[in-house]
Amino acid sequence: MSLDALRELIPSYAKDISLNLSSLANETILTDQQKWGCYLASAHAIGVPQVVKLIEAQAATVLSPEAMNAAKSAAAIMGMTNIYYRSLHLVKNQEYTTLPAKLRMNVLANPGVEKLDFELWATAVSAINGCGACLDAHEAELRKHGMSNVQVQAALRIGAVVHATSRVVASAIAAAE
């Protein structure tokens, strides 16, 4: 199992990260597509090659090719929109918020999977990228469509653990070189 291979890359000082990675994979709060889409979108958002490769291999056992593509699309589009909207929030000149974004975001309208799943993946990635405006927007969509706080929290937890895993694995690999 690819997740076990990933856990083997995590040094002993980060045992909690390894345990969380495993326990989240076994939770049933989210559907398998929602859960593994969160894992995959989060891994792609961070981009540590070894982590991406192993999570992608695990996700491919559960996700359809369309869902794999949509999860990667969530990471890609949030990589752009999180920076843009976070910047609008941080800049004191509020005139920027009145200007059209003029950025293509077509995938948001037609992600290739259920909109709810895509919104969940976008929420996990927005947490990783630290965009409060995007977190609020995606969380509101999820809640409007009946997703519980516990389900939203599960996506946030996956994003946090994949982020920590990626950082720890990247550091361990760099130290070994």
Side-chain angles (χ1 to χ4, degrees):
M1 181 161 133
S2 297
L3 204 58
D4 289 335
L6 179 56
R7 290 183 68 214
E8 288 175 18
L9 296 176
I10 299 173
S12 61
Y13 68 79
K15 183 177 181 180
D16 287 334
I17 304 305
S18 177
L19 293 171
N20 287 326
L21 189 68
S22 180
S23 65
L24 284 169
N26 292 319
E27 281 189 357
T28 58
I29 295 167
L30 302 173
T31 68
D32 282 345
Q33 176 165 300
Q34 290 168 342
K35 176 174 39 181
W36 286 103
C38 281
Y39 268 99
L40 186 58
S42 297
H44 274 273
I46 302 154
V48 174
Q50 297 84 348
V51 176
V52 170
K53 179 182 172 186
L54 292 170
I55 287 180
E56 210 167 81
Q58 184 69 43
T61 67
V62 176
L63 299 177
S64 68
E66 295 81 13
M68 296 277 292
N69 189 60
K72 294 175 193 178
S73 293
I77 197 71
M78 290 302 107
M80 176 183 70
T81 58
N82 291 159
I83 296 302
Y84 179 75
Y85 289 108
R86 184 175 65 204
S87 297
L88 294 183
H89 173 74
L90 294 172
V91 172
K92 288 184 175 130
N93 183 346
Q94 290 301 297
E95 184 179 341
Y96 293 110
T97 62
T98 67
L99 301 173
K102 294 186 181 179
L103 296 171
R104 292 190 184 274
M105 299 179 236
N106 296 330
V107 72
L108 297 176
N110 188 14
V113 294
E114 279 189 53
K115 184 82 165 125
L116 185 69
D117 292 356
F118 189 84
E119 288 288 336
L120 190 67
W121 305 338
T123 302
V125 173
S126 294
I128 290 166
N129 292 336
C131 182
C134 293
L135 277 167
D136 284 342
H138 294 293
E139 190 269 348
E141 277 299 306
L142 292 169
R143 301 289 292 140
K144 186 169 33 173
H145 290 93
M147 188 150 276
S148 72
N149 286 339
V150 173
Q151 290 171 305
V152 174
Q153 181 200 35
L156 297 173
R157 291 168 50 223
I158 291 169
V161 170
V162 172
H163 181 264
T165 298
S166 297
R167 291 289 180 104
V168 168
V169 168
S171 292
I173 290 170
E177 293 177 348

